[in-house]
Amino acid sequence: MSKVTFFGGEQFPLEMHKVRIIQKLTLLPIEDRLAAIEQAGFNTFLLQNADVFLDMLTDSGVNAMSDLQQAAMLIADDAYAGSATYTRLYDKLVEIFGMDYFLPAHQGRAAENILAQVLVRPDTVVPMNYHFTTSKQHITVHGAEVLEFIRPEGLEVTSYHPFKGNFDTDRLRQLVAERGADAISYVRMEAGTNLIGGQPFSLENLREVRDICREHGLTLVLDASLLADNLYFIKTREEACRDMTIPEITRAIADCSDILYFSARKLGFGRGGGICIRDEETYKKLRGYVPMYEGFLTYGGMSVREMEAITVGLDETMDEDMINQGPQFIAYMVNELEQRGVPVITPPGGLGAHVDAMRFLDHIPQPEYPAGALAAAIYLCSGVRGMERGTMSEQREPDGTEPLADMELVRLALPRRVFTLSQVSYAIDRIHWLHQNRTMVGGMKFVEEPEILRFFYGRLAPVNDWPHQLMAKFRQDFGDSL
Ligand code: F0G
């Protein structure tokens, strides 16, 4: 796991950085946690951060910055147009990805909006390895359909397959043969496939997708938001890439893509986003939407300080010692949970540990949101905030029917460079306890269900009084411990 071998034999991750700024945390007693989650409508998105001990909701915009990033922020060049900060970011992106054109955006979904405005044609399809919530929404709102061509192993919860994010290229060939290239707006490939557990694609698979796209004149769009983890997995899991450096793998990935967009809330340990484009004509088509939705072309809704931080953060992403911390901590957490009998997605991916609520709470039917119930129960027994990634995160069909998600997961994200191994061990301990008491957890129902992206601000209620019963059991087992 770590590059260092330990005398005691046990391997554990070893941080190649030290903490120089800290933020104090509070761990509320379970009675206060119950009050907080009730007030939040049992939706972890609606919790106040002050009521959270370890915030594992996401790794978006909450990764720790380095000393060099913070230093760079001080020399940011404030200008509406032509800022030197923008030039530094642009030069870094060209150096790393080798694409000539760049459009800034305030975050990843803003890049998706601009791409969808120009590339998505109604009554077409957009095949992809797997959807992400916001990317799907932007495509469907323009009247196109998302097709998910993840290989079957991608949806197997437990597996040893190293690249569960791989695209099923046979299905792509078949689609082109049956419907023709004109029926396809573009092909989307997502690095570190978010909703199936941060699972990577291999360079070999991406190259196969690229070959099909080139053969049929299809545009290949790469969502590089979770590229850092994917790079690490290619380096450590793909035999043919073992001797390549991280910058070489990055360039090989970019070379396959016509367009590459990212959320810099994830990529580059920053906050922001953007679109790298290979050809001038496409760039010009996309360009007009940046001043319309984001801001002028040299900031696109980002502050210059954030842009400086991203520039340095992108350099750090090219450093294996900087990008290995996430995957190594996640692997530790996944392996330790698995050893305690807690069902988790394997092999460990990027982004975070993903607990399989379908097995953890196999007594709760899917329409009662097992992953939503588990996220609430984990907060209650630990103060750890995770995120439901299951049926609640789907949206109803226009006729009101509710599609059941392929997987019911609770994602426990590990923002990069933020938590220590002892904090991760605490989370493992409490989840282990909850697993032992899992039959006490019951289902949930919506009491307020928004039409769009309901998981963000929908409110729920437990189907019976299981939260109070679980709290009583916690007190019985842990006495007056927090
Ligand atoms: N693409 C992927 C793969 C993402 O994971 C995200 C965000 C986006 C696009 C959108 O980027 O948030 O900057 O607008 N994922 C966050 C998460 C929200 O928590 O996983 P954004």
Side-chain angles (χ1 to χ4, degrees):
M1 190 171 280
S2 143
K3 285 179 177 171
V4 175
T5 305
F6 295 99
F7 174 60
E10 193 196 343
Q11 273 308 107
F12 49 84
L14 183 62
E15 297 87 337
M16 299 306 283
H17 58 259
K18 65 177 178 179
V19 178
R20 294 179 60 223
I21 294 184
I22 59 134
Q23 179 181 357
K24 189 172 184 307
L25 294 171
T26 22
L27 176 52
L28 299 175
I30 189 167
E31 291 75 12
D32 294 358
R33 298 199 293 262
L34 179 57
I37 194 76
E38 271 171 351
Q39 202 160 25
F42 290 87
N43 180 348
T44 55
F45 273 103
L46 300 181
L47 283 167
Q48 297 300 311
N49 202 27
D51 296 335
V52 171
F53 178 47
L54 303 177
D55 190 6
M56 298 187 176
L57 185 74
T58 178
D59 61 347
S60 171
V62 289
N63 296 306
M65 284 201 190
S66 68
D67 49 358
L68 297 182
Q69 284 183 290
Q70 299 250 326
M73 289 171 95
L74 288 177
I75 53 146
D77 179 29
D78 251 319
Y80 189 90
S83 152
T85 290
Y86 172 79
T87 309
R88 281 192 279 274
L89 174 59
Y90 171 81
D91 289 346
K92 183 55 66 188
L93 288 162
V94 174
E95 176 195 317
I96 291 179
F97 298 124
M99 294 186 177
D100 284 341
Y101 302 97
F102 173 64
L103 292 170
H106 78 273
Q107 63 182 87
R109 69 199 70 184
E112 288 169 343
N113 172 38
I114 293 166
L115 289 171
Q117 300 273 353
V118 173
L119 299 182
V120 176
R121 288 171 282 116
D123 303 320
T124 60
V125 291
V126 181
M128 55 185 67
N129 48 351
Y130 207 72
H131 80 280
F132 181 69
T133 49
T134 55
S135 17
K136 182 171 180 177
Q137 190 94 41
H138 281 296
I139 291 164
T140 52
V141 98
H142 288 280
E145 189 190 349
V146 165
L147 298 179
E148 289 167 320
F149 287 174
I150 192 79
R151 287 190 51 80
E153 57 269 16
L155 298 181
E156 279 164 18
V157 176
T158 47
S159 156
Y160 293 103
H161 199 286
F163 293 107
K164 283 165 70 177
N166 278 353
F167 202 112
D168 193 334
T169 47
D170 290 341
R171 291 179 71 192
L172 183 58
R173 281 189 196 286
Q174 199 183 338
L175 174 74
V176 180
E178 281 170 10
R179 300 193 47 181
D182 279 351
I184 300 172
S185 279
Y186 59 90
V187 176
R188 175 176 175 275
M189 187 73 157
E190 183 179 313
T193 325
N194 188 327
L195 295 189
I196 57 160
Q199 298 291 328
F201 59 67
S202 66
L203 181 57
E204 187 188 11
N205 181 253
L206 178 66
R207 284 179 166 153
E208 282 169 25
V209 176
R210 171 207 58 190
D211 289 346
I212 300 171
C213 289
R214 298 250 161 104
E215 192 183 326
H216 299 282
L218 293 166
T219 302
L220 179 53
V221 177
L222 176 79
D223 180 343
S225 306
L226 288 164
L227 181 67
D229 297 332
N230 208 126
L231 287 170
Y232 178 78
F233 291 127
I234 288 178
K235 170 84 185 162
T236 53
R237 293 181 185 176
E238 193 164 350
E239 195 54 45
C241 301
R242 189 145 293 178
D243 295 328
M244 291 169 80
T245 63
I246 296 288
E248 283 166 355
I249 298 170
T250 308
R251 183 57 76 89
I253 289 174
D255 284 349
C256 293
S257 322
D258 301 301
I259 293 173
L260 174 161
Y261 76 91
F262 56 91
S263 166
R265 298 173 64 82
K266 292 181 187 274
L267 185 68
F269 312 102
R271 288 101 178 110
I275 311 171
C276 300
I277 308 130
R278 191 170 302 288
D279 101 279
E280 188 179 2
E281 203 187 320
T282 312
Y283 164 72
K284 284 186 172 160
K285 280 191 210 151
L286 295 166
R287 184 173 58 182
Y289 290 89
V290 175
M292 186 170 157
Y293 287 111
E294 301 299 304
F296 190 64
L297 292 179
T298 57
Y299 73 93
M302 287 183 277
S303 84
V304 283
R305 278 162 286 283
E306 295 297 354
M307 288 198 282
E308 291 288 358
I310 296 166
T311 305
V312 176
L314 285 169
D315 246 344
E316 291 172 2
T317 304
M318 296 296 103
D319 176 348
E320 196 183 331
D321 279 342
M322 280 286 164
I323 57 171
N324 66 8
Q325 200 247 357
Q328 289 187 356
F329 267 53
I330 291 160
Y332 177 83
M333 191 167 178
V334 166
N335 294 335
E336 294 290 316
L337 285 169
E338 199 183 21
Q339 276 167 29
R340 289 163 177 74
V342 178
V344 276
I345 289 206
T346 57
L351 211 173
H354 292 76
V355 183
D356 178 10
M358 206 96 91
R359 276 188 295 152
F360 198 115
L361 299 177
D362 57 8
H363 56 285
I364 299 182
Q366 252 190 303
E368 286 184 12
Y369 312 119
L374 185 57
I378 289 175
Y379 170 75
L380 185 61
C381 77
S382 67
V384 172
R385 165 155 72 167
M387 185 191 289
E388 193 270 0
R389 293 274 82 156
T391 295
M392 265 180 73
S393 297
E394 297 288 330
Q395 84 181 44
R396 285 186 192 272
E397 303 293 353
D399 69 2
T401 54
E402 185 175 48
L404 300 176
D406 292 328
M407 293 184 179
E408 292 288 335
L409 305 176
V410 174
R411 176 178 91 178
L412 298 163
L414 290 187
R416 311 306 181 275
R417 318 188 285 201
V418 171
F419 295 128
T420 61
L421 208 56
S422 45
Q423 290 171 328
V424 171
S425 300
Y426 164 83
I428 293 166
D429 179 78
R430 286 293 186 264
I431 294 166
H432 182 201
W433 176 85
L434 183 62
H435 188 246
Q436 297 288 311
N437 293 282
R438 61 190 175 277
T439 53
M440 296 187 72
V441 180
M444 308 294 300
K445 56 178 188 263
F446 268 106
V447 287
E448 225 181 281
E449 184 182 344
E451 227 171 276
I452 295 178
L453 298 173
R454 60 184 184 172
F455 62 92
F456 275 135
Y457 36 86
R459 299 181 71 82
L460 299 119
V463 294
N464 55 37
D465 194 26
W466 64 261
H468 280 93
Q469 290 157 19
L470 191 66
M471 182 172 78
K473 181 69 169 45
F474 181 97
R475 276 281 161 254
Q476 201 182 321
D477 288 0
F478 290 109
D480 59 5
S481 159
L482 285 174

